[in-house]
Amino acid sequence: MDTMDINASLNGGESSSYPEDLCPPDNFNMVSTWIYRSSFPKKKNFSFLKKLGLKSILTLILEDYPDQNMKFLKENKITLFQFGIAGNKEPFVQIPDDKICAALAVLLDRRNHPILIHCNKGKHRTGCLIGCLRKLQQWSHTSIFDEYRRFSHPKSRSMDQQFIELFDGREAWKVIDSKWIPDWKTLGHHAGV
Amino acid sequence: MDTMDINASLNGGESSSYPEDLCPPDNFNMVSTWIYRSSFPKKKNFSFLKKLGLKSILTLILEDYPDQNMKFLKENKITLFQFGIAGNKEPFVQIPDDKICAALAVLLDRRNHPILIHCNKGKHRTGCLIGCLRKLQQWSHTSIFDEYRRFSHPKSRSMDQQFIELFDGREAWKVIDSKWIPDWKTLGHHAGV
């Protein structure tokens, strides 16, 4: 029981005025064992994130990481992976396949787990990366798009869904180290293990 | 590597015409380690569900479980827990607190994991149960309602959110066996462990 837990007990449990309420970042969700997704984590979310025992954060933003977030990473010994990509807004921007493949290689390396993926809103770039991950997990496109839309609502982008549909998982497997992939039932055979 | 994996390999991996695509049930999601949620599982979802290695299913429907689902349970040695409740439609129906508490006791017993929760659409009754679970996990009401609405969209019910807000987690802890609760960082102190 850590200090926060003891304080919580002294404060009398889970009443609605509970001062220790945890605030997950907006659009937070568990993607798969040891993989989480969310919007950009703010200071008020740090106590929640601390509970996850994160080993890594994978961000898809282009900008430098803010000081208070860098401090949080340092204090909690969290490794930052940054694959900055621009949003997939029509008609000019294209999500680069090689960055998505590199990000998938980080995600599917269990030495980096538990890991949190985020961009700004946790809708589009994060949604594309998760969509590609679901392809490696053999999900049908219908299921992948349902999930994409659930988290990008009300701003789902058809270009993002097209990107996911056209993404070739075999390119990702070229850079994924199958020695370290997590023990998920739907992954193994793509990696030939 | 099981038979399905071998077939998948023979069929050449994850191309878009891939015959072994897995179909999670609508509104499927991972709630927490070893806990999943979804709409009512249909036959086309069985191959996906099989991959989860479920030990239990917790259903909130009132009706008898259909034969093909019973057969699936039997073949995969999955235990069924049924806490039938009516949907929380205004102005008459109330979700019974005692059934939610009993359902939480099943959910928080790691001997039942991995476990899938479902009702018909995976929106309202499932959403209420997960909302109450999140209270035990110390989530702020804002975060709980965000999640509730993400899965109940476009049919979110204010009565469901009111039920979650008024639910007293201490009642649940009276029937939860703290000896078997999962090792989640945000649970322990409520149970006094």
Side-chain angles (χ1 to χ4, degrees):
Chain A
M1 190 183 267
D2 61 25
T3 317
M4 182 179 244
D5 287 343
I6 290 166
N7 286 338
S9 294
L10 293 173
N11 284 324
E14 72 294 350
S15 74
S16 57
S17 62
Y18 192 41
E20 311 294 341
D21 268 359
L22 298 172
C23 293
D26 286 349
N27 245 349
F28 173 81
N29 194 56
M30 195 168 199
V31 176
S32 203
T33 315
W34 307 126
I35 300 191
Y36 305 92
R37 66 181 288 171
S38 76
S39 61
F40 196 92
K42 302 193 182 96
K43 200 172 175 184
K44 67 176 178 189
N45 311 126
F46 289 169
S47 59
F48 172 80
L49 292 179
K50 211 169 161 171
K51 296 274 187 185
L52 299 179
L54 295 174
K55 200 163 166 190
S56 326
I57 287 183
L58 189 160
T59 183
L60 301 166
I61 62 166
L62 284 168
E63 301 78 9
D64 283 342
Y65 223 50
D67 286 347
Q68 69 176 17
N69 291 59
M70 286 308 291
K71 190 165 164 266
F72 173 75
L73 295 181
K74 203 176 165 190
E75 282 170 4
N76 295 281
K77 299 189 175 61
I78 297 170
T79 305
L80 180 68
F81 294 95
Q82 183 157 18
F83 298 97
I85 53 181
N88 196 14
K89 287 188 184 164
E90 300 179 53
F92 295 116
V93 184
Q94 262 291 349
I95 294 179
D97 281 53
D98 57 338
K99 282 202 181 160
I100 292 290
C101 289
L104 287 168
V106 167
L107 282 185
L108 291 178
D109 186 328
R110 59 178 191 270
R111 291 172 296 181
N112 302 325
H113 294 179
I115 187 167
L116 171 73
I117 308 161
H118 77 84
C119 50
N120 274 336
K121 299 281 184 193
K123 288 178 189 279
H124 303 110
R125 288 170 284 187
T126 299
C128 286
L129 178 57
I130 308 267
C132 294
L133 176 69
R134 296 307 189 193
K135 286 187 79 153
L136 303 187
Q137 287 184 288
Q138 288 180 255
W139 282 31
S140 68
H141 281 121
T142 310
S143 313
I144 294 172
F145 298 154
D146 278 354
E147 182 178 47
Y148 168 83
R149 286 191 297 260
R150 192 178 306 130
F151 288 89
S152 58
H153 177 81
K155 294 194 168 179
S156 304
R157 293 179 183 155
S158 57
M159 288 293 275
D160 284 347
Q161 291 170 82
Q162 191 179 72
F163 171 79
I164 295 167
E165 182 166 4
L166 297 176
F167 180 77
D168 183 350
R170 286 169 296 191
E171 294 303 311
W173 283 116
K174 289 178 189 167
V175 294
I176 291 167
D177 187 345
S178 58
K179 188 176 158 195
W180 297 106
I181 60 170
D183 178 26
W184 298 343
K185 294 284 190 297
T186 54
L187 266 182
H189 70 272
H190 288 308
V193 292
Chain B
M1 189 184 269
D2 62 25
T3 317
M4 183 180 241
D5 287 343
I6 291 166
N7 286 338
S9 294
L10 293 173
N11 283 324
E14 71 293 350
S15 73
S16 57
S17 62
Y18 193 41
E20 311 293 340
D21 268 357
L22 297 172
C23 294
D26 285 350
N27 245 350
F28 173 81
N29 194 56
M30 196 169 200
V31 176
S32 204
T33 315
W34 308 125
I35 300 191
Y36 305 92
R37 66 181 288 169
S38 75
S39 62
F40 196 91
K42 302 194 183 96
K43 200 173 176 186
K44 67 176 177 188
N45 311 126
F46 289 170
S47 59
F48 172 81
L49 293 179
K50 212 170 161 173
K51 296 274 187 184
L52 300 180
L54 295 174
K55 200 163 164 189
S56 325
I57 287 183
L58 189 161
T59 182
L60 300 166
I61 62 166
L62 284 167
E63 301 79 8
D64 283 342
Y65 223 52
D67 285 347
Q68 69 176 17
N69 291 58
M70 287 306 290
K71 190 164 165 267
F72 174 74
L73 295 181
K74 202 175 165 191
E75 282 170 3
N76 295 281
K77 299 189 176 59
I78 296 170
T79 305
L80 181 67
F81 295 95
Q82 183 156 17
F83 298 97
I85 54 182
N88 194 15
K89 286 188 184 164
E90 300 179 52
F92 296 116
V93 183
Q94 262 291 349
I95 294 178
D97 281 53
D98 58 338
K99 281 202 181 160
I100 292 291
C101 288
L104 287 168
V106 168
L107 281 186
L108 290 178
D109 186 328
R110 59 178 191 272
R111 291 172 296 182
N112 302 325
H113 295 179
I115 187 166
L116 172 73
I117 308 161
H118 77 83
C119 50
N120 274 336
K121 299 281 184 192
K123 289 179 188 279
H124 303 110
R125 288 169 285 188
T126 298
C128 286
L129 178 58
I130 309 268
C132 295
L133 176 69
R134 297 307 190 193
K135 286 186 79 152
L136 303 186
Q137 289 184 288
Q138 288 179 256
W139 281 31
S140 68
H141 281 121
T142 310
S143 313
I144 294 173
F145 298 154
D146 277 354
E147 182 180 47
Y148 168 83
R149 286 191 297 262
R150 193 178 306 131
F151 288 89
S152 58
H153 177 81
K155 294 194 169 178
S156 304
R157 293 178 184 156
S158 57
M159 289 292 275
D160 284 348
Q161 291 170 83
Q162 191 179 73
F163 171 80
I164 295 167
E165 182 165 4
L166 297 177
F167 179 77
D168 183 351
R170 286 168 297 192
E171 294 304 310
W173 282 116
K174 289 178 188 166
V175 294
I176 292 166
D177 187 344
S178 58
K179 188 176 157 193
W180 298 106
I181 59 171
D183 178 27
W184 298 343
K185 294 285 187 300
T186 55
L187 266 182
H189 70 273
H190 290 308
V193 293

Coordinates of all heavy atoms in Angstrom, one line a residue, chain A residues 52-105:
Chain A
L52 N -0.5 3.0 -13.8 CA -0.3 2.0 -14.9 C 1.1 1.4 -14.9 O 1.3 0.4 -15.5 CB -0.6 2.6 -16.2 CG -2.0 3.2 -16.5 CD1 -2.1 3.8 -17.9 CD2 -3.1 2.2 -16.2
G53 N 2.0 2.0 -14.2 CA 3.3 1.4 -14.1 C 4.0 1.4 -15.5 O 4.7 0.5 -15.9
L54 N 3.7 2.5 -16.3 CA 4.2 2.5 -17.7 C 5.8 2.4 -17.8 O 6.5 3.0 -17.0 CB 3.8 3.8 -18.4 CG 2.3 4.1 -18.6 CD1 2.1 5.5 -19.1 CD2 1.7 3.0 -19.5
K55 N 6.2 1.7 -18.7 CA 7.6 1.6 -19.0 C 8.0 2.5 -20.2 O 9.1 3.0 -20.3 CB 8.0 0.1 -19.4 CG 9.5 -0.2 -19.2 CD 9.7 -1.7 -19.2 CE 11.1 -2.1 -19.3 NZ 11.3 -3.5 -19.5
S56 N 7.0 2.7 -21.1 CA 7.2 3.6 -22.3 C 6.0 4.4 -22.6 O 4.9 4.0 -22.3 CB 7.6 2.7 -23.5 OG 8.3 1.6 -23.2
I57 N 6.3 5.4 -23.3 CA 5.2 6.2 -24.0 C 5.6 6.4 -25.5 O 6.8 6.6 -25.8 CB 5.0 7.6 -23.3 CG1 4.3 7.4 -22.0 CG2 4.2 8.5 -24.2 CD1 3.9 8.7 -21.2
L58 N 4.6 6.1 -26.4 CA 4.9 6.3 -27.8 C 4.0 7.5 -28.2 O 2.8 7.4 -28.2 CB 4.5 5.0 -28.5 CG 5.0 4.9 -30.0 CD1 5.0 3.5 -30.4 CD2 4.1 5.7 -30.9
T59 N 4.6 8.6 -28.6 CA 3.9 9.7 -29.1 C 4.0 9.9 -30.6 O 5.0 9.6 -31.2 CB 4.2 11.0 -28.3 OG1 3.4 12.0 -28.8 CG2 5.7 11.4 -28.6
L60 N 2.9 10.3 -31.2 CA 2.9 10.6 -32.6 C 2.8 12.1 -33.0 O 2.6 12.4 -34.1 CB 1.6 9.9 -33.2 CG 1.6 8.3 -33.0 CD1 0.2 7.7 -33.3 CD2 2.7 7.6 -33.8
I61 N 3.0 12.9 -31.9 CA 3.0 14.4 -32.2 C 4.3 14.8 -32.9 O 5.4 14.1 -32.7 CB 2.8 15.2 -30.9 CG1 3.9 15.0 -29.9 CG2 1.4 14.9 -30.3 CD1 3.9 16.0 -28.8
L62 N 4.3 15.9 -33.6 CA 5.5 16.4 -34.2 C 6.3 17.3 -33.3 O 7.5 17.4 -33.4 CB 5.1 17.3 -35.5 CG 4.6 16.5 -36.7 CD1 4.0 17.5 -37.7 CD2 5.8 15.8 -37.3
E63 N 5.6 18.0 -32.4 CA 6.2 19.0 -31.5 C 7.1 18.4 -30.4 O 7.0 17.2 -30.1 CB 5.1 19.8 -30.8 CG 4.2 20.5 -31.8 CD 3.1 19.6 -32.3 OE1 3.0 18.4 -31.9 OE2 2.4 20.1 -33.3
D64 N 8.0 19.2 -29.9 CA 8.8 18.8 -28.7 C 7.8 18.5 -27.6 O 6.8 19.1 -27.4 CB 9.7 19.9 -28.3 CG 10.9 20.0 -29.2 OD1 11.2 19.0 -30.0 OD2 11.6 21.0 -29.2
Y65 N 8.3 17.5 -26.7 CA 7.5 17.1 -25.6 C 7.6 18.2 -24.5 O 8.7 18.7 -24.2 CB 8.0 15.8 -25.1 CG 6.9 14.8 -24.7 CD1 5.9 14.5 -25.5 CD2 7.0 14.2 -23.4 CE1 4.9 13.6 -25.2 CE2 6.0 13.2 -23.1 CZ 5.0 12.9 -24.0 OH 4.0 12.0 -23.6
P66 N 6.5 18.7 -23.9 CA 6.6 19.8 -22.9 C 7.4 19.4 -21.7 O 7.5 18.2 -21.3 CB 5.1 20.0 -22.5 CG 4.3 19.3 -23.5 CD 5.1 18.2 -24.1
D67 N 7.9 20.4 -21.0 CA 8.8 20.2 -19.9 C 8.1 19.4 -18.8 O 8.7 18.5 -18.2 CB 9.2 21.6 -19.3 CG 10.3 22.2 -20.1 OD1 10.8 21.5 -21.0 OD2 10.5 23.5 -20.0
Q68 N 6.8 19.7 -18.4 CA 6.2 19.0 -17.3 C 6.0 17.5 -17.6 O 6.1 16.7 -16.8 CB 4.9 19.7 -16.9 CG 3.7 19.5 -17.8 CD 2.4 20.1 -17.3 OE1 2.5 20.9 -16.3 NE2 1.3 19.8 -17.9
N69 N 5.8 17.2 -18.9 CA 5.7 15.8 -19.3 C 7.1 15.1 -19.3 O 7.2 14.0 -18.9 CB 5.1 15.7 -20.7 CG 3.6 16.1 -20.7 OD1 3.3 17.3 -20.4 ND2 2.7 15.2 -21.1
M70 N 8.1 15.9 -19.7 CA 9.5 15.3 -19.6 C 9.8 15.0 -18.2 O 10.4 14.0 -17.9 CB 10.5 16.3 -20.2 CG 10.5 16.4 -21.7 SD 10.6 14.9 -22.7 CE 12.3 14.4 -22.3
K71 N 9.4 15.9 -17.3 CA 9.7 15.7 -15.9 C 9.0 14.4 -15.3 O 9.6 13.6 -14.6 CB 9.2 16.9 -15.1 CG 9.7 17.0 -13.7 CD 9.5 18.4 -13.1 CE 9.5 18.4 -11.6 NZ 8.2 18.3 -11.0
F72 N 7.8 14.3 -15.7 CA 7.0 13.1 -15.3 C 7.7 11.8 -15.8 O 7.8 10.8 -15.1 CB 5.6 13.2 -15.9 CG 4.7 11.9 -15.7 CD1 4.2 11.6 -14.4 CD2 4.5 11.0 -16.7 CE1 3.5 10.5 -14.2 CE2 3.7 9.9 -16.5 CZ 3.2 9.6 -15.2
L73 N 8.1 11.8 -17.1 CA 8.8 10.7 -17.6 C 10.1 10.3 -16.8 O 10.3 9.2 -16.5 CB 9.3 10.9 -19.1 CG 8.2 11.2 -20.1 CD1 8.8 11.4 -21.5 CD2 7.2 10.0 -20.2
K74 N 10.8 11.4 -16.5 CA 12.1 11.2 -15.8 C 11.8 10.6 -14.4 O 12.5 9.6 -14.0 CB 12.8 12.5 -15.7 CG 14.3 12.4 -15.5 CD 15.0 13.7 -15.6 CE 16.4 13.5 -15.0 NZ 17.1 14.8 -14.8
E75 N 10.9 11.2 -13.7 CA 10.6 10.8 -12.3 C 10.1 9.3 -12.3 O 10.3 8.6 -11.3 CB 9.5 11.7 -11.7 CG 10.0 13.0 -11.3 CD 8.8 14.0 -10.9 OE1 7.7 13.5 -11.0 OE2 9.1 15.1 -10.6
N76 N 9.5 8.9 -13.4 CA 8.9 7.6 -13.4 C 9.7 6.6 -14.3 O 9.2 5.5 -14.6 CB 7.4 7.6 -13.7 CG 6.6 8.4 -12.7 OD1 6.3 7.8 -11.6 ND2 6.3 9.6 -13.0
K77 N 10.8 7.0 -14.7 CA 11.7 6.2 -15.5 C 11.0 5.6 -16.7 O 11.1 4.4 -17.0 CB 12.3 5.0 -14.7 CG 13.2 5.5 -13.5 CD 13.9 4.4 -12.9 CE 14.9 4.8 -11.8 NZ 14.2 5.5 -10.7
I78 N 10.3 6.5 -17.4 CA 9.5 6.1 -18.6 C 10.3 6.5 -19.9 O 10.7 7.6 -20.0 CB 8.1 6.7 -18.6 CG1 7.3 6.2 -17.4 CG2 7.4 6.4 -19.9 CD1 6.0 7.0 -17.2
T79 N 10.5 5.6 -20.8 CA 11.2 5.9 -22.0 C 10.2 6.5 -23.0 O 9.1 6.0 -23.2 CB 11.7 4.6 -22.6 OG1 12.6 3.9 -21.7 CG2 12.6 4.8 -23.9
L80 N 10.6 7.5 -23.7 CA 9.8 8.2 -24.7 C 10.2 7.7 -26.1 O 11.4 7.9 -26.5 CB 9.9 9.7 -24.6 CG 9.0 10.5 -25.6 CD1 7.5 10.3 -25.3 CD2 9.3 12.0 -25.5
F81 N 9.2 7.2 -26.9 CA 9.5 7.0 -28.3 C 8.6 8.0 -29.1 O 7.4 8.1 -28.9 CB 9.0 5.6 -28.7 CG 9.8 4.5 -28.1 CD1 9.3 3.9 -26.9 CD2 11.0 4.0 -28.6 CE1 10.0 2.8 -26.3 CE2 11.7 3.0 -28.0 CZ 11.2 2.4 -26.9
Q82 N 9.3 8.7 -30.0 CA 8.5 9.7 -30.7 C 8.6 9.4 -32.2 O 9.7 9.4 -32.8 CB 9.1 11.2 -30.4 CG 8.3 12.3 -31.2 CD 8.4 13.6 -30.5 OE1 9.4 13.9 -29.7 NE2 7.5 14.5 -30.9
F83 N 7.4 9.2 -32.8 CA 7.3 9.1 -34.3 C 6.4 10.2 -34.7 O 5.2 10.0 -34.9 CB 6.8 7.7 -34.6 CG 7.7 6.6 -34.2 CD1 7.4 5.9 -33.0 CD2 8.8 6.2 -34.9 CE1 8.2 4.9 -32.5 CE2 9.6 5.2 -34.5 CZ 9.3 4.5 -33.3
G84 N 7.0 11.4 -34.9 CA 6.1 12.5 -35.2 C 5.5 12.4 -36.6 O 6.3 12.2 -37.6
I85 N 4.2 12.4 -36.7 CA 3.6 12.5 -38.0 C 2.5 13.5 -38.0 O 1.9 13.8 -37.0 CB 3.0 11.1 -38.5 CG1 2.0 10.5 -37.4 CG2 4.1 10.1 -38.7 CD1 1.4 9.2 -37.8
A86 N 2.2 14.1 -39.2 CA 1.2 15.1 -39.3 C -0.2 14.4 -39.5 O -0.2 13.3 -39.9 CB 1.5 16.0 -40.6
G87 N -1.2 15.1 -39.1 CA -2.6 14.5 -39.2 C -2.8 14.3 -40.7 O -2.3 15.0 -41.6
N88 N -3.7 13.3 -41.0 CA -4.0 12.8 -42.3 C -5.1 13.7 -42.9 O -6.2 13.1 -43.2 CB -4.4 11.4 -42.3 CG -4.3 10.7 -43.6 OD1 -3.8 11.2 -44.6 ND2 -4.9 9.5 -43.7
K89 N -4.9 15.0 -43.1 CA -6.0 15.8 -43.6 C -5.9 15.9 -45.1 O -4.8 16.1 -45.7 CB -5.9 17.2 -43.0 CG -6.3 17.3 -41.5 CD -6.4 18.7 -41.0 CE -6.7 18.6 -39.5 NZ -6.4 19.9 -38.8
E90 N -7.1 15.8 -45.7 CA -7.1 15.9 -47.2 C -6.7 17.3 -47.6 O -7.0 18.2 -46.9 CB -8.5 15.6 -47.7 CG -8.9 14.1 -47.2 CD -10.3 13.8 -47.7 OE1 -10.6 14.0 -48.9 OE2 -11.1 13.4 -46.8
P91 N -6.3 17.5 -48.8 CA -5.9 16.4 -49.7 C -4.4 16.1 -49.8 O -3.9 15.3 -50.6 CB -6.3 17.0 -51.1 CG -6.0 18.5 -50.9 CD -6.2 18.8 -49.5
F92 N -3.6 16.8 -48.9 CA -2.1 16.7 -49.2 C -1.4 15.7 -48.3 O -0.4 15.2 -48.8 CB -1.5 18.2 -49.0 CG -2.0 19.1 -50.0 CD1 -2.8 20.2 -49.7 CD2 -1.8 18.9 -51.4 CE1 -3.3 21.1 -50.6 CE2 -2.2 19.7 -52.3 CZ -3.0 20.8 -52.0
V93 N -1.7 15.6 -47.1 CA -0.9 14.9 -46.2 C -1.1 13.4 -46.2 O -2.2 12.9 -46.3 CB -1.0 15.4 -44.7 CG1 -0.1 14.7 -43.8 CG2 -0.9 16.9 -44.7
Q94 N 0.0 12.7 -46.2 CA 0.0 11.2 -46.2 C 0.7 10.7 -45.0 O 1.8 11.2 -44.7 CB 0.7 10.7 -47.4 CG -0.2 10.3 -48.6 CD -1.0 9.1 -48.3 OE1 -0.9 8.4 -47.3 NE2 -2.0 8.8 -49.2
I95 N 0.1 9.8 -44.3 CA 0.8 9.2 -43.2 C 1.9 8.3 -43.7 O 1.7 7.5 -44.6 CB -0.2 8.3 -42.3 CG1 -1.2 9.2 -41.7 CG2 0.6 7.5 -41.3 CD1 -2.2 8.5 -40.8
P96 N 3.1 8.4 -43.3 CA 4.2 7.7 -43.8 C 4.2 6.2 -43.3 O 4.3 6.0 -42.1 CB 5.5 8.4 -43.3 CG 5.0 9.2 -42.2 CD 3.6 9.4 -42.3
D97 N 4.2 5.3 -44.2 CA 4.1 3.9 -43.8 C 5.3 3.4 -43.0 O 5.2 2.6 -42.0 CB 4.1 3.0 -45.1 CG 2.8 2.9 -45.7 OD1 2.2 4.0 -46.0 OD2 2.3 1.8 -46.0
D98 N 6.5 4.0 -43.3 CA 7.7 3.5 -42.6 C 7.6 3.9 -41.1 O 8.1 3.2 -40.2 CB 9.0 4.0 -43.2 CG 9.0 5.6 -43.3 OD1 7.9 6.2 -43.3 OD2 10.1 6.1 -43.4
K99 N 7.0 5.1 -40.8 CA 6.9 5.5 -39.4 C 5.9 4.6 -38.6 O 6.1 4.2 -37.5 CB 6.5 7.0 -39.2 CG 7.7 7.9 -39.5 CD 7.5 9.2 -38.9 CE 8.7 10.1 -39.2 NZ 8.5 11.5 -39.1
I100 N 4.8 4.2 -39.3 CA 3.9 3.3 -38.7 C 4.5 2.0 -38.4 O 4.3 1.4 -37.4 CB 2.6 3.2 -39.6 CG1 1.8 4.5 -39.7 CG2 1.7 2.1 -39.1 CD1 1.1 4.9 -38.4
C101 N 5.3 1.5 -39.4 CA 6.0 0.2 -39.2 C 6.9 0.3 -38.0 O 7.0 -0.6 -37.2 CB 6.7 -0.2 -40.5 SG 5.6 -0.7 -41.8
A102 N 7.7 1.4 -38.0 CA 8.6 1.5 -36.8 C 7.9 1.6 -35.5 O 8.3 1.0 -34.5 CB 9.5 2.8 -37.1
A103 N 6.8 2.3 -35.5 CA 6.0 2.4 -34.3 C 5.4 1.0 -33.9 O 5.4 0.7 -32.7 CB 4.8 3.4 -34.5
L104 N 5.0 0.3 -34.9 CA 4.5 -1.1 -34.6 C 5.6 -2.0 -34.0 O 5.3 -2.8 -33.1 CB 3.9 -1.7 -35.8 CG 2.5 -1.2 -36.3 CD1 2.2 -1.6 -37.7 CD2 1.4 -1.5 -35.3
A105 N 6.8 -1.8 -34.5 CA 7.9 -2.6 -34.0 C 8.1 -2.3 -32.5 O 8.4 -3.2 -31.7 CB 9.1 -2.3 -34.8

